[in-house]
Each structure stands twice: as structure tokens, then as C-alpha cells.
Amino acid sequence: MAGRKWMAIRDMDIAAEIIGVNPLKAKLTAFAVSGFFVDGRGAVVTAANAVQSCGRVTLDDTYEASVAASDADLGAALLRPSEALAPRAVGAFRADTPRLKSEVAVAGYPFGGVLSAPTLTFGSLEDLQGLEGEAELERLALSARPGDAGGPVLDNGGAVLGMLLPQRQGNQALPDDVAFAADASALQAFLRDSGVSASETRGERAMDPEDLTSLAADMTVKVSCW
């Protein structure tokens, strides 16, 4: 079990038996994105449009989950696993205002889960609103890939600043290094309305890169649509 970011609360022998005969393994995913744990029982936040039309949703290709709530305007969905999980780390949302131009990192699965652990992509926080003044958005200077959508945007102390949104589709092509995130306060409001009490923190001094990578790996989940 070394290296696992969580383990089922149920008896592990039973869980291993289930994993060994998981019928989902025999099917190909339509696509995979990212998400992150937001409570101690394994609830996950991810990109809403990634799970809106799935026959099944799984976490890390192992546990089935269902869409408990969704906000199309915010672009976020709340997933609940079919059985309670015990995450090694849960995202803590930053309660104070981050500094513009500060370094951020997105944890995600940019290659659709080909790699066994999430990857950190670094960039900077460019604005605390969208291009048209949307208060629930943050603008990032960061080159993300589609599989990163739904992943946590972290400051250099490991606090969650937001959730990375999928690349915008429209008539205007934005530069490759422009990305947007649903901001922490909007996500917290969505979670409260969905019955989840999310953890908060304030901006702290920078973590060592190894510690930040470890924290990101423990809280970030591969979300697959089957």
C-alpha cells in the first residue's frame, strides 16, 4: 500500500478483492481530468463539464463516485465516492487575499493519467478577476493541458487559491499561457451550499518544493469519465 494517497475505510482485504475484479478496468475511459479532496470522507471537487454526461465516474481508476452537486456557471462539480475514503490530505482554501504576480502551481494529470502521480505546473497569479471583471474567477499565467482541468491551484505554501477551469472555447483564441480558475471564495460558497464544510487557511511562508509536491500528490485525484 506504499505510495497510496488514501485507503478505503472498509477492510482492506475486501477492497483488494474488489479492485482485483473491477469491471471498469476492462473499459476505456472517454477522458480523464483532475480533482482534489475537500473533506475527510473523500468528497472531491472537479470541473463540471468533465462529468456532466458520464455513464460512470471513478477516482484514480479504482473507486466509483457520483455527482452530488454541480454549478455550471462556476464550472465546478462535487463528487462523492461510493464508499467513504480517508484522504491523506484535504485542500485548505486560502482565506486572505493572495498577492498578484505571486507564484502558483496547478496539480493535475495533464497526460490523462498516463503518469501514476500528478504533475505540478508552475505559473503566476495575474488577476483576481476574469477578463470581463468576473469576481468568481482568477486569471493565471500558466500553460495547462486539458487533463489539468479540475486540479487545485496552490500558492507556494500549499493553500488552495482555486480550481483550474477547462480552456475556454469560443471565437477568440487566447494566448497559450492564459488560464482561468474558479476562486477559493466562490468554491467555498458552492461547497457550503452542497453540505461540505471546507477547511480554510491563510497565506503562509513558502514550503520546500519536495513538501509542496508531496502535499499536492496526496490531495489531487485522477477523475475518469467512463
Side-chain angles (χ1 to χ4, degrees):
M1 300 301 295
R4 291 288 295 276
K5 64 170 70 69
W6 42 256
M7 59 183 177
I9 291 177
R10 291 184 182 180
D11 182 89
M12 296 308 295
D13 291 336
I14 296 175
E17 182 179 351
I18 293 173
I19 294 170
V21 298
N22 190 344
L24 298 179
K25 294 282 188 175
K27 299 172 66 176
L28 294 176
T29 55
F31 52 85
V33 293
S34 306
F36 60 101
F37 291 118
V38 290
D39 75 5
R41 294 181 62 82
V44 168
V45 163
T46 190
N49 69 349
V51 294
Q52 64 184 1
S53 59
C54 303
R56 279 177 168 171
V57 176
T58 59
L59 307 178
D60 286 344
D61 294 333
T62 301
Y63 288 96
E64 294 191 43
S66 59
V67 179
S70 183
D71 185 329
D73 292 333
L74 182 60
L78 175 67
L79 306 179
R80 292 194 184 277
S82 58
E83 58 183 282
L85 304 177
R88 292 185 182 275
V90 172
F93 291 90
R94 182 161 171 174
D96 56 339
T97 302
R99 178 174 51 86
L100 291 181
K101 301 295 183 179
S102 59
E103 187 176 63
V104 300
V106 170
Y109 289 85
F111 304 106
V114 173
L115 301 178
S116 59
T119 298
L120 287 181
T121 302
F122 291 91
S124 62
L125 176 64
E126 295 298 302
D127 204 343
L128 297 176
Q129 60 184 9
L131 293 175
E132 298 180 351
E134 302 95 332
E136 72 279 6
L137 296 181
E138 297 167 339
R139 178 165 59 88
L140 312 174
L142 182 144
S143 297
R145 296 174 65 95
D148 289 314
V153 180
L154 306 171
D155 68 11
N156 57 13
V160 176
L161 300 181
M163 181 200 75
L164 187 72
L165 294 169
Q167 294 175 336
R168 290 188 171 187
Q169 303 296 324
N171 295 326
Q172 293 181 325
L174 296 175
D176 291 339
D177 64 348
V178 174
F180 296 91
D183 85 339
S185 59
L187 287 170
Q188 285 179 284
F190 165 64
L191 291 173
R192 283 195 300 270
D193 291 343
S194 305
V196 174
S197 180
S199 299
E200 283 190 352
T201 188
R202 301 186 72 83
E204 300 177 0
R205 62 183 180 83
M207 300 175 68
D208 291 335
E210 296 82 2
D211 293 336
L212 181 61
T213 299
S214 178
L215 175 65
D218 286 344
M219 77 168 67
T220 308
V221 185
K222 177 185 173 186
V223 177
S224 299
C225 176
W226 302 84

